[in-house]
Amino acid sequence: MSVKVSKFGGSSLADAARMRRAAAIVQADADRRYVVPSAPGKRSGEDRKVTDLLYTCHDLAKQGLSFAEPWGLVAERFEGIVAELGLDVPIDGWLEAARAGIDTTAASGPDFAASRGEAINGKVLAALLGWECVDAAEVVWFGQRGRLDEARTYRELGERLRDLGRAVVPGFYGRMSGPGGVGEVAGPAGVKTFSRGGSDVTGAIVARSVGAAVYENWTDVPGLLITDPRIVPGAYPIEVVTYKELRELSYSGARVLHEDAVFPVRSAGIPVRILSTLEPGEPGTMIVAAADPMAEPVYEITGIAGRSGFTAFTIEKAMMNSEIGLGMRALSVLDRHAISFEHMPSGVDTMTLVIDDAYFDGASAVIAREGLVGELKAAVDADLVDFDPSISLIATVGRGMKRKPGMAAKLFAALADSGVNIRMIDQGSSELNITVGVDDADYAGAVRAIYAAFVGAVDAVSG
């Protein structure tokens, strides 16, 4: 018997009906032996995710304020799910233990509070399946710097799960190790979470620990789509994508699978299949280490992803190409302000740094654009430093791009025919993608033009 690990997202477990659907999917295949649930997500557009409510509970408790209102909504969600499923479980005790733990950990951080959605939902789903729930805080270990202790986790989690045969492991959290990696940080204060969306990571860790044949990631979409369906309605799903392509798409804006979830399974050669609980019979998207070299891809490209909100800083200086250390001095300015750059296209006398607008706008701003211009100019004694805000980056990704002549010409012609002005061009050294920068106002039109050129006609949309 091959082993499958099945992770279910919050939207797939948002209410009792969806919990039943997820349980039916698990029970339909005897190979599905380990399940990783998220906390209940939104039931509708106006609803709130349980995890968001729990963060609010922590924030209020930290201020010494009552969190009775958001906690009441959390309790109501779980009590309603349990009642509708007809389960005989000690939900009141589970909720009271979580509420008390939020009080006691208010000063130490939000991790315990945030993790309770998965912890309780795991127990509910385990009861529905008739399986044992393994508390992730007993088998998923973080070192003192907050990094996953892979060796200990894979060993202890693997042993525990193989002994059980079937189990539910709540996603998103684990426990901090004691000093030197010995023992544990006891109680609620020892609970440690991954970043948001980290249940994907837990699922990958479980798959790696038990040597799964496949890691299934169940969502409410039919796999990874070629591009954002809000921009291209009816965008086709991607049948097969490699880990490298997924990394490029995720980095560029595609948000189906948590980026860190790739690494535990990638190193073990375990494929990932993204599936939809709404259409469980559909094949979804398979993520593999390497595509079959004999198989022709369905389309010339694999996917299109992008993000808006960048600023391009262009440095001009005569004879820049012959000046040793200029690039280092420019980047040292970014280093001083803890700023990372997205791309750095260059010419013989020019260099451009493309930087996320988050560094310049809003409460988290670290420096004004004009201030960065002045520091860059002084650092390299530039003739001119200028900036262009409101730029969108669009990555067109495909494993076959480097082998087929004319791909760039086709992409640029599509944009020109649509009246889109290209502000920047950059091609990754792996030749898996071509990234272009366009005005934010042209972003949606550019994505549609690229999709139409490489995939097919696009339905008329507004905006």
Side-chain angles (χ1 to χ4, degrees):
M1 178 186 293
S2 60
V3 175
K4 295 179 181 177
V5 172
S6 304
K7 180 264 175 182
F8 290 88
S11 59
S12 299
L13 302 172
D15 55 31
R18 292 180 229 194
M19 294 276 280
R20 285 197 189 95
R21 183 187 299 143
I25 288 170
V26 173
Q27 293 165 338
D29 187 341
D31 289 344
R32 294 182 179 124
R33 295 167 56 186
Y34 304 105
V35 176
V36 176
S38 296
K42 290 185 178 183
R43 294 163 292 189
S44 64
E46 300 302 315
D47 203 6
R48 295 181 67 184
K49 297 179 180 179
V50 164
T51 302
D52 290 338
L53 291 168
L54 289 167
Y55 274 117
T56 300
C57 289
H58 165 75
D59 290 341
L60 292 170
K62 186 176 181 180
Q63 299 173 59
L65 302 174
S66 169
F67 56 90
E69 182 178 351
W71 178 253
L73 296 174
V74 172
E76 182 182 353
R77 284 286 292 278
F78 280 117
E79 289 167 350
I81 289 172
V82 167
E84 191 171 338
L85 292 174
L87 297 174
D88 182 15
V89 295
I91 186 63
D92 292 341
W94 296 343
L95 289 167
E96 176 53 29
R99 189 205 60 76
I102 293 172
D103 260 333
T104 61
T105 59
S108 60
D111 291 41
F112 177 80
S115 70
R116 294 306 89 186
E118 278 78 8
I120 296 174
N121 215 32
K123 293 177 181 179
V124 173
L125 183 57
L128 182 61
L129 290 168
W131 294 5
E132 181 168 334
C133 180
V134 176
D135 186 357
E138 299 175 359
V139 286
V140 177
W141 294 97
F142 293 88
Q144 288 304 295
R145 293 188 177 182
R147 295 181 179 178
L148 179 70
D149 185 339
E150 296 183 53
R152 183 178 182 185
T153 296
Y154 295 149
R155 182 181 67 254
E156 296 187 14
L157 179 58
E159 291 173 356
R160 182 80 169 271
L161 294 183
R162 282 189 289 270
D163 286 344
L164 291 172
R166 298 184 185 278
V168 173
V169 182
F172 188 39
Y173 72 96
R175 181 171 295 280
M176 292 289 291
S177 300
V182 178
E184 63 184 52
V185 178
V191 170
K192 169 71 177 171
T193 62
F194 293 101
S195 59
R196 288 299 295 265
S199 290
D200 289 341
V201 184
T202 305
I205 290 168
V206 171
R208 168 73 178 272
S209 298
V210 299
V214 65
Y215 167 35
E216 297 179 335
N217 195 286
W218 292 87
T219 70
D220 56 358
V221 296
L224 181 63
L225 303 181
I226 291 177
T227 197
D228 189 338
R230 294 169 298 183
I231 296 175
V232 180
Y236 295 137
I238 301 170
E239 293 184 5
V240 178
V241 61
T242 65
Y243 288 126
K244 287 183 178 180
E245 290 172 306
L246 179 67
R247 175 69 171 160
E248 295 281 357
L249 290 168
S250 295
Y251 177 75
S252 300
R255 291 290 182 263
V256 173
L257 190 67
H258 192 291
E259 292 179 29
D260 293 341
V262 168
F263 297 106
V265 288
R266 177 178 181 174
S267 60
I270 299 171
V272 180
R273 189 179 287 280
I274 300 175
L275 297 156
S276 171
T277 53
L278 302 178
E279 302 174 83
E282 294 300 310
T285 298
M286 182 69 89
I287 306 168
V288 297
D292 183 350
M294 303 302 293
E296 283 294 320
V298 178
Y299 304 108
E300 293 175 299
I301 63 171
T302 299
I304 308 161
R307 290 183 286 160
S308 297
F310 294 92
T311 295
F313 292 81
T314 299
I315 303 169
E316 296 183 13
K317 186 174 185 180
M319 303 299 291
M320 177 185 290
N321 65 305
S322 63
E323 186 168 339
I324 303 219
L326 184 143
M328 180 185 70
R329 293 196 298 276
L331 295 180
S332 70
V333 175
L334 303 189
D335 180 63
R336 187 160 60 247
H337 294 286
I339 293 174
S340 64
F341 65 91
E342 302 293 323
H343 293 274
M344 190 171 64
S346 63
V348 65
D349 290 327
T350 62
M351 178 172 67
T352 299
L353 301 170
V354 182
I355 300 172
D356 195 317
D357 284 347
Y359 290 110
F360 314 112
D361 299 327
S364 61
V366 297
I367 190 173
R369 291 176 180 82
E370 293 80 4
L372 187 60
V373 164
E375 292 193 30
L376 287 169
K377 187 171 184 179
V380 303
D381 191 23
D383 298 330
L384 174 69
V385 179
D386 200 2
F387 67 88
D388 291 314
S390 303
I391 287 178
S392 295
L393 299 179
I394 303 170
T396 303
V397 178
R399 56 187 172 274
M401 293 177 67
K402 63 183 178 182
R403 295 191 298 271
K404 187 164 185 180
M407 294 291 287
K410 188 173 183 178
L411 188 152
F412 300 148
L415 295 178
D417 291 345
S418 297
V420 175
N421 180 42
I422 301 174
R423 306 285 298 279
M424 185 205 82
I425 301 168
D426 197 9
Q427 183 168 20
S429 57
S430 66
E431 298 187 59
L432 277 175
N433 78 80
I434 299 173
T435 297
V436 296
V438 302
D439 290 330
D440 281 349
D442 290 330
Y443 173 63
V447 170
R448 287 194 284 268
I450 296 169
Y451 186 95
F454 289 100
V455 180
V458 177
D459 295 335
V461 293
S462 60

